[in-house]
Amino acid sequence: EDKVVQSPLSLVVHEGDTVTLNCSYEVTNFRSLLWYKQEKKAPTFLFMLTSSGIEKKSGRLSSILDKKELSSILNITATQTGDSAIYLCAVEGKGAQKLVFGQGTRLTINP
Amino acid sequence: DAGITQSPRHKVTETGTPVTLRCHQTENHRYMYWYRQDPGHGLRLIHYSYGVKDTDKGEVSDGYSVSRSKTEDFLLTLESATSSQTSVYFCAIGQPNTEAFFGQGTRLTVV
């Protein structure tokens, strides 16, 4: 059975800090790993990673996949209060046609 | 925003009553998914569809059924609602090898 584990489950930091969120997975025939951000309502897409070692970047957010270690990290630099959210990691297996999600990391940025 | 609408957005129902949630898309995406979100569990897949009349079970399908009679609509039915089905339900849509887009969610309370 495919499985995704995120850590930490909860994190509180001060504005301006840098944070690293972790995602590890077990999946049959890995196809992709995705990161989502969820504020009040629907999760919104951040990154899709398919190749190991290639960093995806968007502003202060970046993510990288390590297929050897079956894991990914999401980095946020110079955090802002607007980064407060639940960050969700999901994986998709080839032919699976579905995303399996981790429990999420609740990130709180204090001013 | 992806054209995906869930209805109703909020519902309170009594134990033992049937409930149907609707997901409607205007994107002509092949895949549609129903997830539930509960504290500490992230998003868990209930059922998904990979085409008209083609559906399959997810990890928490007991007590739920689905139907997809046309590309744009995916219905989730709770045959006899129980308090354990109190949750926030998200519909998502997607295409092969791309990210999934989520609806705004339906908050269901079973009393």
Side-chain angles (χ1 to χ4, degrees), chain A residues 1 31 34 36 38 41-43 45 48 88 96-99 101-104, chain B residues 31 33 35 37 40-43 45 48 50 90 97-100 102-104:
Chain A
E1 186 179 317
R31 179 198 293 275
L34 295 88
Y36 285 82
Q38 184 178 24
K41 297 179 181 175
F45 172 75
M48 175 186 277
L88 296 161
Q97 304 164 351
K98 59 185 179 180
L99 292 176
F101 282 83
Q103 322 95 300
Chain B
Y31 301 124
Y33 310 87
Y35 288 89
Q37 186 172 36
H41 289 279
L43 287 161
L45 183 65
Y48 65 103
Y50 45 95
F90 285 100
N97 301 322
T98 65
E99 69 272 25
F102 285 82
Q104 292 300 300

PDB file of all heavy atoms in Angstrom, chain A residues 1 31 34 36 38 41-43 45 48 88 96-99 101-104, chain B residues 31 33 35 37 40-43 45 48 50 90 97-100 102-104:
ATOM      1  N   GLU A   1       0.845  -1.196   0.000  1.00  0.00           N
ATOM      2  CA  GLU A   1       0.000   0.000   0.000  1.00  0.00           C
ATOM      3  C   GLU A   1       0.882   1.247   0.000  1.00  0.00           C
ATOM      4  O   GLU A   1       1.823   1.353   0.761  1.00  0.00           O
ATOM      5  CB  GLU A   1      -0.896  -0.010   1.227  1.00  0.00           C
ATOM      6  CG  GLU A   1      -1.914   1.093   1.266  1.00  0.00           C
ATOM      7  CD  GLU A   1      -2.796   0.996   2.513  1.00  0.00           C
ATOM      8  OE1 GLU A   1      -3.220  -0.123   2.849  1.00  0.00           O
ATOM      9  OE2 GLU A   1      -3.024   2.037   3.141  1.00  0.00           O
ATOM     10  N   ARG A  31       5.808   7.755  -9.892  1.00  0.00           N
ATOM     11  CA  ARG A  31       5.697   8.615 -11.068  1.00  0.00           C
ATOM     12  C   ARG A  31       6.051  10.049 -10.707  1.00  0.00           C
ATOM     13  O   ARG A  31       6.848  10.699 -11.367  1.00  0.00           O
ATOM     14  CB  ARG A  31       4.287   8.580 -11.660  1.00  0.00           C
ATOM     15  CG  ARG A  31       4.152   9.488 -12.886  1.00  0.00           C
ATOM     16  CD  ARG A  31       2.706   9.809 -13.209  1.00  0.00           C
ATOM     17  NE  ARG A  31       1.943   8.678 -13.659  1.00  0.00           N
ATOM     18  CZ  ARG A  31       1.916   8.258 -14.923  1.00  0.00           C
ATOM     19  NH1 ARG A  31       2.625   8.855 -15.842  1.00  0.00           N
ATOM     20  NH2 ARG A  31       1.157   7.229 -15.255  1.00  0.00           N
ATOM     21  N   LEU A  34       4.109  15.595  -5.354  1.00  0.00           N
ATOM     22  CA  LEU A  34       3.528  16.935  -5.457  1.00  0.00           C
ATOM     23  C   LEU A  34       3.454  17.583  -4.079  1.00  0.00           C
ATOM     24  O   LEU A  34       3.221  16.909  -3.073  1.00  0.00           O
ATOM     25  CB  LEU A  34       2.121  16.870  -6.065  1.00  0.00           C
ATOM     26  CG  LEU A  34       2.019  16.387  -7.497  1.00  0.00           C
ATOM     27  CD1 LEU A  34       1.898  14.863  -7.571  1.00  0.00           C
ATOM     28  CD2 LEU A  34       0.833  17.028  -8.214  1.00  0.00           C
ATOM     29  N   TYR A  36       1.433  20.752  -2.043  1.00  0.00           N
ATOM     30  CA  TYR A  36       0.291  21.670  -2.050  1.00  0.00           C
ATOM     31  C   TYR A  36       0.337  22.529  -0.789  1.00  0.00           C
ATOM     32  O   TYR A  36       0.841  22.101   0.259  1.00  0.00           O
ATOM     33  CB  TYR A  36      -1.043  20.901  -2.049  1.00  0.00           C
ATOM     34  CG  TYR A  36      -1.418  20.268  -3.362  1.00  0.00           C
ATOM     35  CD1 TYR A  36      -0.897  19.041  -3.741  1.00  0.00           C
ATOM     36  CD2 TYR A  36      -2.303  20.906  -4.229  1.00  0.00           C
ATOM     37  CE1 TYR A  36      -1.257  18.453  -4.950  1.00  0.00           C
ATOM     38  CE2 TYR A  36      -2.670  20.326  -5.440  1.00  0.00           C
ATOM     39  CZ  TYR A  36      -2.135  19.099  -5.782  1.00  0.00           C
ATOM     40  OH  TYR A  36      -2.498  18.531  -6.985  1.00  0.00           O
ATOM     41  N   GLN A  38      -2.320  24.628   1.770  1.00  0.00           N
ATOM     42  CA  GLN A  38      -3.734  24.752   2.098  1.00  0.00           C
ATOM     43  C   GLN A  38      -3.895  25.796   3.198  1.00  0.00           C
ATOM     44  O   GLN A  38      -3.430  25.610   4.313  1.00  0.00           O
ATOM     45  CB  GLN A  38      -4.313  23.419   2.558  1.00  0.00           C
ATOM     46  CG  GLN A  38      -5.809  23.477   2.814  1.00  0.00           C
ATOM     47  CD  GLN A  38      -6.384  22.140   3.231  1.00  0.00           C
ATOM     48  OE1 GLN A  38      -5.685  21.280   3.756  1.00  0.00           O
ATOM     49  NE2 GLN A  38      -7.679  21.944   2.988  1.00  0.00           N
ATOM     50  N   LYS A  41      -9.180  27.030   2.740  1.00  0.00           N
ATOM     51  CA  LYS A  41     -10.093  26.169   1.981  1.00  0.00           C
ATOM     52  C   LYS A  41      -9.341  25.126   1.146  1.00  0.00           C
ATOM     53  O   LYS A  41      -8.706  24.244   1.679  1.00  0.00           O
ATOM     54  CB  LYS A  41     -10.980  27.045   1.099  1.00  0.00           C
ATOM     55  CG  LYS A  41     -11.870  27.978   1.893  1.00  0.00           C
ATOM     56  CD  LYS A  41     -12.715  28.859   1.008  1.00  0.00           C
ATOM     57  CE  LYS A  41     -13.569  29.794   1.858  1.00  0.00           C
ATOM     58  NZ  LYS A  41     -14.327  30.745   1.019  1.00  0.00           N
ATOM     59  N   ALA A  42      -9.428  25.250  -0.166  1.00  0.00           N
ATOM     60  CA  ALA A  42      -8.915  24.205  -1.054  1.00  0.00           C
ATOM     61  C   ALA A  42      -7.393  24.214  -1.109  1.00  0.00           C
ATOM     62  O   ALA A  42      -6.765  25.274  -1.127  1.00  0.00           O
ATOM     63  CB  ALA A  42      -9.475  24.412  -2.460  1.00  0.00           C
ATOM     64  N   PRO A  43      -6.770  23.035  -1.153  1.00  0.00           N
ATOM     65  CA  PRO A  43      -5.323  22.983  -1.399  1.00  0.00           C
ATOM     66  C   PRO A  43      -4.992  23.590  -2.759  1.00  0.00           C
ATOM     67  O   PRO A  43      -5.723  23.378  -3.734  1.00  0.00           O
ATOM     68  CB  PRO A  43      -5.022  21.481  -1.391  1.00  0.00           C
ATOM     69  CG  PRO A  43      -6.151  20.853  -0.639  1.00  0.00           C
ATOM     70  CD  PRO A  43      -7.340  21.693  -0.945  1.00  0.00           C
ATOM     71  N   PHE A  45      -1.859  24.070  -5.665  1.00  0.00           N
ATOM     72  CA  PHE A  45      -0.671  23.388  -6.149  1.00  0.00           C
ATOM     73  C   PHE A  45       0.569  24.264  -6.037  1.00  0.00           C
ATOM     74  O   PHE A  45       0.531  25.449  -6.348  1.00  0.00           O
ATOM     75  CB  PHE A  45      -0.900  22.984  -7.612  1.00  0.00           C
ATOM     76  CG  PHE A  45       0.307  22.443  -8.305  1.00  0.00           C
ATOM     77  CD1 PHE A  45       0.763  21.164  -8.027  1.00  0.00           C
ATOM     78  CD2 PHE A  45       0.976  23.198  -9.238  1.00  0.00           C
ATOM     79  CE1 PHE A  45       1.869  20.658  -8.675  1.00  0.00           C
ATOM     80  CE2 PHE A  45       2.079  22.696  -9.901  1.00  0.00           C
ATOM     81  CZ  PHE A  45       2.539  21.429  -9.617  1.00  0.00           C
ATOM     82  N   MET A  48       5.429  20.027  -8.739  1.00  0.00           N
ATOM     83  CA  MET A  48       5.432  18.610  -9.093  1.00  0.00           C
ATOM     84  C   MET A  48       6.871  18.211  -9.389  1.00  0.00           C
ATOM     85  O   MET A  48       7.554  18.895 -10.167  1.00  0.00           O
ATOM     86  CB  MET A  48       4.559  18.348 -10.319  1.00  0.00           C
ATOM     87  CG  MET A  48       4.632  16.900 -10.785  1.00  0.00           C
ATOM     88  SD  MET A  48       3.742  16.600 -12.320  1.00  0.00           S
ATOM     89  CE  MET A  48       2.106  16.382 -11.711  1.00  0.00           C
ATOM     90  N   LEU A  88       0.934  20.127   2.241  1.00  0.00           N
ATOM     91  CA  LEU A  88       0.614  18.731   1.974  1.00  0.00           C
ATOM     92  C   LEU A  88       1.536  18.168   0.904  1.00  0.00           C
ATOM     93  O   LEU A  88       1.806  18.820  -0.106  1.00  0.00           O
ATOM     94  CB  LEU A  88      -0.833  18.601   1.486  1.00  0.00           C
ATOM     95  CG  LEU A  88      -1.914  19.010   2.488  1.00  0.00           C
ATOM     96  CD1 LEU A  88      -3.226  19.293   1.766  1.00  0.00           C
ATOM     97  CD2 LEU A  88      -2.114  17.920   3.524  1.00  0.00           C
ATOM     98  N   ALA A  96      -1.391   4.407 -11.405  1.00  0.00           N
ATOM     99  CA  ALA A  96      -2.275   4.453 -10.239  1.00  0.00           C
ATOM    100  C   ALA A  96      -3.407   5.439 -10.442  1.00  0.00           C
ATOM    101  O   ALA A  96      -4.476   5.262  -9.871  1.00  0.00           O
ATOM    102  CB  ALA A  96      -1.494   4.807  -8.993  1.00  0.00           C
ATOM    103  N   GLN A  97      -3.187   6.508 -11.185  1.00  0.00           N
ATOM    104  CA  GLN A  97      -4.212   7.496 -11.489  1.00  0.00           C
ATOM    105  C   GLN A  97      -4.805   8.136 -10.250  1.00  0.00           C
ATOM    106  O   GLN A  97      -5.950   8.570 -10.260  1.00  0.00           O
ATOM    107  CB  GLN A  97      -5.342   6.864 -12.306  1.00  0.00           C
ATOM    108  CG  GLN A  97      -4.843   6.204 -13.574  1.00  0.00           C
ATOM    109  CD  GLN A  97      -5.875   5.268 -14.172  1.00  0.00           C
ATOM    110  OE1 GLN A  97      -6.892   4.980 -13.561  1.00  0.00           O
ATOM    111  NE2 GLN A  97      -5.601   4.783 -15.358  1.00  0.00           N
ATOM    112  N   LYS A  98      -4.063   8.166  -9.163  1.00  0.00           N
ATOM    113  CA  LYS A  98      -4.584   8.769  -7.936  1.00  0.00           C
ATOM    114  C   LYS A  98      -3.425   9.274  -7.107  1.00  0.00           C
ATOM    115  O   LYS A  98      -2.305   8.801  -7.213  1.00  0.00           O
ATOM    116  CB  LYS A  98      -5.381   7.746  -7.135  1.00  0.00           C
ATOM    117  CG  LYS A  98      -4.576   6.528  -6.742  1.00  0.00           C
ATOM    118  CD  LYS A  98      -5.419   5.483  -6.048  1.00  0.00           C
ATOM    119  CE  LYS A  98      -4.561   4.268  -5.698  1.00  0.00           C
ATOM    120  NZ  LYS A  98      -5.311   3.207  -5.025  1.00  0.00           N
ATOM    121  N   LEU A  99      -3.711  10.286  -6.273  1.00  0.00           N
ATOM    122  CA  LEU A  99      -2.716  10.862  -5.379  1.00  0.00           C
ATOM    123  C   LEU A  99      -2.940  10.352  -3.970  1.00  0.00           C
ATOM    124  O   LEU A  99      -4.069  10.352  -3.478  1.00  0.00           O
ATOM    125  CB  LEU A  99      -2.828  12.389  -5.376  1.00  0.00           C
ATOM    126  CG  LEU A  99      -2.447  13.112  -6.663  1.00  0.00           C
ATOM    127  CD1 LEU A  99      -2.712  14.604  -6.528  1.00  0.00           C
ATOM    128  CD2 LEU A  99      -0.986  12.857  -7.013  1.00  0.00           C
ATOM    129  N   PHE A 101      -1.891  11.175  -0.123  1.00  0.00           N
ATOM    130  CA  PHE A 101      -1.397  12.310   0.634  1.00  0.00           C
ATOM    131  C   PHE A 101      -0.833  11.903   1.994  1.00  0.00           C
ATOM    132  O   PHE A 101      -1.255  10.902   2.587  1.00  0.00           O
ATOM    133  CB  PHE A 101      -2.533  13.311   0.887  1.00  0.00           C
ATOM    134  CG  PHE A 101      -2.864  14.162  -0.298  1.00  0.00           C
ATOM    135  CD1 PHE A 101      -3.706  13.697  -1.294  1.00  0.00           C
ATOM    136  CD2 PHE A 101      -2.314  15.430  -0.430  1.00  0.00           C
ATOM    137  CE1 PHE A 101      -4.001  14.483  -2.393  1.00  0.00           C
ATOM    138  CE2 PHE A 101      -2.611  16.221  -1.536  1.00  0.00           C
ATOM    139  CZ  PHE A 101      -3.448  15.748  -2.515  1.00  0.00           C
ATOM    140  N   GLY A 102       0.106  12.715   2.469  1.00  0.00           N
ATOM    141  CA  GLY A 102       0.571  12.613   3.849  1.00  0.00           C
ATOM    142  C   GLY A 102      -0.368  13.373   4.773  1.00  0.00           C
ATOM    143  O   GLY A 102      -1.368  13.945   4.330  1.00  0.00           O
ATOM    144  N   GLN A 103      -0.005  13.391   6.056  1.00  0.00           N
ATOM    145  CA  GLN A 103      -0.886  14.015   7.060  1.00  0.00           C
ATOM    146  C   GLN A 103      -0.843  15.541   6.997  1.00  0.00           C
ATOM    147  O   GLN A 103      -1.708  16.220   7.551  1.00  0.00           O
ATOM    148  CB  GLN A 103      -0.504  13.578   8.477  1.00  0.00           C
ATOM    149  CG  GLN A 103      -0.081  12.140   8.623  1.00  0.00           C
ATOM    150  CD  GLN A 103       1.431  12.010   8.543  1.00  0.00           C
ATOM    151  OE1 GLN A 103       2.041  12.383   7.531  1.00  0.00           O
ATOM    152  NE2 GLN A 103       2.032  11.493   9.575  1.00  0.00           N
ATOM    153  N   GLY A 104       0.192  16.066   6.378  1.00  0.00           N
ATOM    154  CA  GLY A 104       0.347  17.510   6.310  1.00  0.00           C
ATOM    155  C   GLY A 104       1.213  18.052   7.444  1.00  0.00           C
ATOM    156  O   GLY A 104       1.316  17.456   8.515  1.00  0.00           O
TER     157      GLY A 104
ATOM    158  N   TYR B  31      -9.958  12.676 -15.002  1.00  0.00           N
ATOM    159  CA  TYR B  31     -10.015  12.082 -13.668  1.00  0.00           C
ATOM    160  C   TYR B  31     -10.756  12.990 -12.693  1.00  0.00           C
ATOM    161  O   TYR B  31     -10.591  14.214 -12.717  1.00  0.00           O
ATOM    162  CB  TYR B  31      -8.603  11.853 -13.123  1.00  0.00           C
ATOM    163  CG  TYR B  31      -7.752  10.957 -13.977  1.00  0.00           C
ATOM    164  CD1 TYR B  31      -6.528  11.385 -14.459  1.00  0.00           C
ATOM    165  CD2 TYR B  31      -8.186   9.681 -14.305  1.00  0.00           C
ATOM    166  CE1 TYR B  31      -5.744  10.575 -15.246  1.00  0.00           C
ATOM    167  CE2 TYR B  31      -7.408   8.862 -15.101  1.00  0.00           C
ATOM    168  CZ  TYR B  31      -6.187   9.309 -15.557  1.00  0.00           C
ATOM    169  OH  TYR B  31      -5.415   8.493 -16.347  1.00  0.00           O
ATOM    170  N   TYR B  33     -11.924  12.952  -8.357  1.00  0.00           N
ATOM    171  CA  TYR B  33     -11.611  12.291  -7.094  1.00  0.00           C
ATOM    172  C   TYR B  33     -12.487  12.861  -5.979  1.00  0.00           C
ATOM    173  O   TYR B  33     -12.825  14.036  -5.992  1.00  0.00           O
ATOM    174  CB  TYR B  33     -10.148  12.538  -6.693  1.00  0.00           C
ATOM    175  CG  TYR B  33      -9.127  12.263  -7.766  1.00  0.00           C
ATOM    176  CD1 TYR B  33      -8.778  13.249  -8.687  1.00  0.00           C
ATOM    177  CD2 TYR B  33      -8.486  11.033  -7.841  1.00  0.00           C
ATOM    178  CE1 TYR B  33      -7.829  13.016  -9.662  1.00  0.00           C
ATOM    179  CE2 TYR B  33      -7.528  10.781  -8.818  1.00  0.00           C
ATOM    180  CZ  TYR B  33      -7.203  11.782  -9.722  1.00  0.00           C
ATOM    181  OH  TYR B  33      -6.274  11.531 -10.687  1.00  0.00           O
ATOM    182  N   TYR B  35     -12.085  13.159  -1.824  1.00  0.00           N
ATOM    183  CA  TYR B  35     -11.249  12.992  -0.642  1.00  0.00           C
ATOM    184  C   TYR B  35     -12.035  13.480   0.576  1.00  0.00           C
ATOM    185  O   TYR B  35     -12.894  14.339   0.460  1.00  0.00           O
ATOM    186  CB  TYR B  35      -9.974  13.829  -0.733  1.00  0.00           C
ATOM    187  CG  TYR B  35      -8.946  13.337  -1.715  1.00  0.00           C
ATOM    188  CD1 TYR B  35      -8.965  13.760  -3.037  1.00  0.00           C
ATOM    189  CD2 TYR B  35      -7.928  12.476  -1.311  1.00  0.00           C
ATOM    190  CE1 TYR B  35      -8.007  13.324  -3.942  1.00  0.00           C
ATOM    191  CE2 TYR B  35      -6.961  12.036  -2.209  1.00  0.00           C
ATOM    192  CZ  TYR B  35      -7.009  12.465  -3.518  1.00  0.00           C
ATOM    193  OH  TYR B  35      -6.063  12.022  -4.404  1.00  0.00           O
ATOM    194  N   GLN B  37     -11.125  15.068   4.546  1.00  0.00           N
ATOM    195  CA  GLN B  37     -10.037  15.606   5.338  1.00  0.00           C
ATOM    196  C   GLN B  37     -10.461  15.698   6.792  1.00  0.00           C
ATOM    197  O   GLN B  37     -11.454  16.351   7.116  1.00  0.00           O
ATOM    198  CB  GLN B  37      -9.609  16.990   4.837  1.00  0.00           C
ATOM    199  CG  GLN B  37      -8.376  17.525   5.540  1.00  0.00           C
ATOM    200  CD  GLN B  37      -7.850  18.793   4.913  1.00  0.00           C
ATOM    201  OE1 GLN B  37      -8.604  19.638   4.454  1.00  0.00           O
ATOM    202  NE2 GLN B  37      -6.523  18.937   4.878  1.00  0.00           N
ATOM    203  N   GLY B  40      -5.312  15.460  11.593  1.00  0.00           N
ATOM    204  CA  GLY B  40      -4.325  14.409  11.816  1.00  0.00           C
ATOM    205  C   GLY B  40      -4.230  13.362  10.727  1.00  0.00           C
ATOM    206  O   GLY B  40      -3.386  12.468  10.789  1.00  0.00           O
ATOM    207  N   HIS B  41      -5.101  13.467   9.696  1.00  0.00           N
ATOM    208  CA  HIS B  41      -5.112  12.441   8.646  1.00  0.00           C
ATOM    209  C   HIS B  41      -4.814  12.980   7.261  1.00  0.00           C
ATOM    210  O   HIS B  41      -4.767  12.215   6.305  1.00  0.00           O
ATOM    211  CB  HIS B  41      -6.471  11.738   8.607  1.00  0.00           C
ATOM    212  CG  HIS B  41      -6.714  10.841   9.769  1.00  0.00           C
ATOM    213  ND1 HIS B  41      -6.203   9.559   9.864  1.00  0.00           N
ATOM    214  CD2 HIS B  41      -7.403  11.047  10.910  1.00  0.00           C
ATOM    215  CE1 HIS B  41      -6.574   9.022  10.996  1.00  0.00           C
ATOM    216  NE2 HIS B  41      -7.311   9.897  11.669  1.00  0.00           N
ATOM    217  N   GLY B  42      -4.625  14.245   7.123  1.00  0.00           N
ATOM    218  CA  GLY B  42      -4.410  14.785   5.783  1.00  0.00           C
ATOM    219  C   GLY B  42      -5.629  14.537   4.907  1.00  0.00           C
ATOM    220  O   GLY B  42      -6.769  14.526   5.382  1.00  0.00           O
ATOM    221  N   LEU B  43      -5.402  14.283   3.636  1.00  0.00           N
ATOM    222  CA  LEU B  43      -6.484  13.998   2.692  1.00  0.00           C
ATOM    223  C   LEU B  43      -6.478  12.503   2.408  1.00  0.00           C
ATOM    224  O   LEU B  43      -5.461  11.940   2.021  1.00  0.00           O
ATOM    225  CB  LEU B  43      -6.268  14.761   1.380  1.00  0.00           C
ATOM    226  CG  LEU B  43      -6.510  16.262   1.435  1.00  0.00           C
ATOM    227  CD1 LEU B  43      -5.845  16.949   0.256  1.00  0.00           C
ATOM    228  CD2 LEU B  43      -8.005  16.548   1.429  1.00  0.00           C
ATOM    229  N   LEU B  45      -8.288   9.359   0.234  1.00  0.00           N
ATOM    230  CA  LEU B  45      -9.071   9.125  -0.979  1.00  0.00           C
ATOM    231  C   LEU B  45     -10.238   8.189  -0.689  1.00  0.00           C
ATOM    232  O   LEU B  45     -10.049   7.104  -0.127  1.00  0.00           O
ATOM    233  CB  LEU B  45      -8.168   8.530  -2.061  1.00  0.00           C
ATOM    234  CG  LEU B  45      -8.802   8.284  -3.418  1.00  0.00           C
ATOM    235  CD1 LEU B  45      -9.220   9.602  -4.067  1.00  0.00           C
ATOM    236  CD2 LEU B  45      -7.824   7.541  -4.325  1.00  0.00           C
ATOM    237  N   TYR B  48     -12.494   7.335  -6.789  1.00  0.00           N
ATOM    238  CA  TYR B  48     -12.096   8.162  -7.906  1.00  0.00           C
ATOM    239  C   TYR B  48     -12.659   7.603  -9.203  1.00  0.00           C
ATOM    240  O   TYR B  48     -13.130   6.457  -9.257  1.00  0.00           O
ATOM    241  CB  TYR B  48     -10.570   8.311  -7.988  1.00  0.00           C
ATOM    242  CG  TYR B  48      -9.812   7.043  -8.281  1.00  0.00           C
ATOM    243  CD1 TYR B  48      -9.304   6.794  -9.557  1.00  0.00           C
ATOM    244  CD2 TYR B  48      -9.567   6.108  -7.290  1.00  0.00           C
ATOM    245  CE1 TYR B  48      -8.592   5.643  -9.826  1.00  0.00           C
ATOM    246  CE2 TYR B  48      -8.854   4.954  -7.546  1.00  0.00           C
ATOM    247  CZ  TYR B  48      -8.359   4.722  -8.809  1.00  0.00           C
ATOM    248  OH  TYR B  48      -7.655   3.572  -9.073  1.00  0.00           O
ATOM    249  N   TYR B  50     -11.963   7.457 -13.563  1.00  0.00           N
ATOM    250  CA  TYR B  50     -11.037   7.680 -14.662  1.00  0.00           C
ATOM    251  C   TYR B  50     -11.767   7.767 -15.997  1.00  0.00           C
ATOM    252  O   TYR B  50     -11.152   7.656 -17.065  1.00  0.00           O
ATOM    253  CB  TYR B  50      -9.930   6.609 -14.692  1.00  0.00           C
ATOM    254  CG  TYR B  50     -10.407   5.193 -14.496  1.00  0.00           C
ATOM    255  CD1 TYR B  50     -10.670   4.371 -15.576  1.00  0.00           C
ATOM    256  CD2 TYR B  50     -10.586   4.680 -13.213  1.00  0.00           C
ATOM    257  CE1 TYR B  50     -11.096   3.072 -15.397  1.00  0.00           C
ATOM    258  CE2 TYR B  50     -11.025   3.379 -13.017  1.00  0.00           C
ATOM    259  CZ  TYR B  50     -11.280   2.577 -14.111  1.00  0.00           C
ATOM    260  OH  TYR B  50     -11.715   1.290 -13.927  1.00  0.00           O
ATOM    261  N   PHE B  90     -13.530  17.020  -0.144  1.00  0.00           N
ATOM    262  CA  PHE B  90     -12.983  17.742  -1.282  1.00  0.00           C
ATOM    263  C   PHE B  90     -13.094  16.903  -2.542  1.00  0.00           C
ATOM    264  O   PHE B  90     -12.765  15.717  -2.552  1.00  0.00           O
ATOM    265  CB  PHE B  90     -11.505  18.083  -1.058  1.00  0.00           C
ATOM    266  CG  PHE B  90     -11.277  19.208  -0.101  1.00  0.00           C
ATOM    267  CD1 PHE B  90     -10.928  18.946   1.213  1.00  0.00           C
ATOM    268  CD2 PHE B  90     -11.391  20.530  -0.512  1.00  0.00           C
ATOM    269  CE1 PHE B  90     -10.714  19.986   2.107  1.00  0.00           C
ATOM    270  CE2 PHE B  90     -11.181  21.569   0.372  1.00  0.00           C
ATOM    271  CZ  PHE B  90     -10.839  21.298   1.683  1.00  0.00           C
ATOM    272  N   ASN B  97      -0.576  12.764 -15.738  1.00  0.00           N
ATOM    273  CA  ASN B  97       0.742  13.378 -15.566  1.00  0.00           C
ATOM    274  C   ASN B  97       0.713  14.864 -15.251  1.00  0.00           C
ATOM    275  O   ASN B  97       1.680  15.574 -15.515  1.00  0.00           O
ATOM    276  CB  ASN B  97       1.606  13.166 -16.821  1.00  0.00           C
ATOM    277  CG  ASN B  97       1.806  11.708 -17.128  1.00  0.00           C
ATOM    278  OD1 ASN B  97       1.957  10.893 -16.229  1.00  0.00           O
ATOM    279  ND2 ASN B  97       1.760  11.361 -18.399  1.00  0.00           N
ATOM    280  N   THR B  98      -0.372  15.340 -14.705  1.00  0.00           N
ATOM    281  CA  THR B  98      -0.433  16.746 -14.282  1.00  0.00           C
ATOM    282  C   THR B  98      -0.996  16.817 -12.875  1.00  0.00           C
ATOM    283  O   THR B  98      -1.490  15.836 -12.340  1.00  0.00           O
ATOM    284  CB  THR B  98      -1.320  17.595 -15.200  1.00  0.00           C
ATOM    285  OG1 THR B  98      -2.676  17.145 -15.086  1.00  0.00           O
ATOM    286  CG2 THR B  98      -0.872  17.492 -16.648  1.00  0.00           C
ATOM    287  N   GLU B  99      -0.899  18.020 -12.297  1.00  0.00           N
ATOM    288  CA  GLU B  99      -1.406  18.180 -10.938  1.00  0.00           C
ATOM    289  C   GLU B  99      -2.919  18.110 -10.893  1.00  0.00           C
ATOM    290  O   GLU B  99      -3.594  18.339 -11.893  1.00  0.00           O
ATOM    291  CB  GLU B  99      -0.941  19.525 -10.351  1.00  0.00           C
ATOM    292  CG  GLU B  99      -1.582  20.751 -10.997  1.00  0.00           C
ATOM    293  CD  GLU B  99      -0.797  21.245 -12.210  1.00  0.00           C
ATOM    294  OE1 GLU B  99      -0.073  20.452 -12.832  1.00  0.00           O
ATOM    295  OE2 GLU B  99      -0.951  22.441 -12.533  1.00  0.00           O
ATOM    296  N   ALA B 100      -3.445  17.809  -9.710  1.00  0.00           N
ATOM    297  CA  ALA B 100      -4.883  17.815  -9.483  1.00  0.00           C
ATOM    298  C   ALA B 100      -5.300  19.181  -8.955  1.00  0.00           C
ATOM    299  O   ALA B 100      -4.543  19.844  -8.242  1.00  0.00           O
ATOM    300  CB  ALA B 100      -5.265  16.727  -8.487  1.00  0.00           C
ATOM    301  N   PHE B 102      -8.357  21.284  -6.856  1.00  0.00           N
ATOM    302  CA  PHE B 102      -9.358  20.982  -5.839  1.00  0.00           C
ATOM    303  C   PHE B 102     -10.510  21.974  -5.840  1.00  0.00           C
ATOM    304  O   PHE B 102     -10.318  23.171  -6.113  1.00  0.00           O
ATOM    305  CB  PHE B 102      -8.714  20.980  -4.450  1.00  0.00           C
ATOM    306  CG  PHE B 102      -7.878  19.764  -4.187  1.00  0.00           C
ATOM    307  CD1 PHE B 102      -6.583  19.681  -4.650  1.00  0.00           C
ATOM    308  CD2 PHE B 102      -8.413  18.686  -3.496  1.00  0.00           C
ATOM    309  CE1 PHE B 102      -5.814  18.547  -4.431  1.00  0.00           C
ATOM    310  CE2 PHE B 102      -7.659  17.551  -3.264  1.00  0.00           C
ATOM    311  CZ  PHE B 102      -6.361  17.483  -3.737  1.00  0.00           C
ATOM    312  N   GLY B 103     -11.695  21.468  -5.495  1.00  0.00           N
ATOM    313  CA  GLY B 103     -12.842  22.318  -5.226  1.00  0.00           C
ATOM    314  C   GLY B 103     -12.722  22.951  -3.850  1.00  0.00           C
ATOM    315  O   GLY B 103     -11.773  22.681  -3.112  1.00  0.00           O
ATOM    316  N   GLN B 104     -13.710  23.788  -3.503  1.00  0.00           N
ATOM    317  CA  GLN B 104     -13.653  24.555  -2.262  1.00  0.00           C
ATOM    318  C   GLN B 104     -14.059  23.745  -1.036  1.00  0.00           C
ATOM    319  O   GLN B 104     -13.934  24.225   0.081  1.00  0.00           O
ATOM    320  CB  GLN B 104     -14.539  25.793  -2.378  1.00  0.00           C
ATOM    321  CG  GLN B 104     -14.013  26.805  -3.382  1.00  0.00           C
ATOM    322  CD  GLN B 104     -12.622  27.284  -3.000  1.00  0.00           C
ATOM    323  OE1 GLN B 104     -12.423  27.841  -1.937  1.00  0.00           O
ATOM    324  NE2 GLN B 104     -11.647  27.044  -3.868  1.00  0.00           N
TER     325      GLN B 104
END
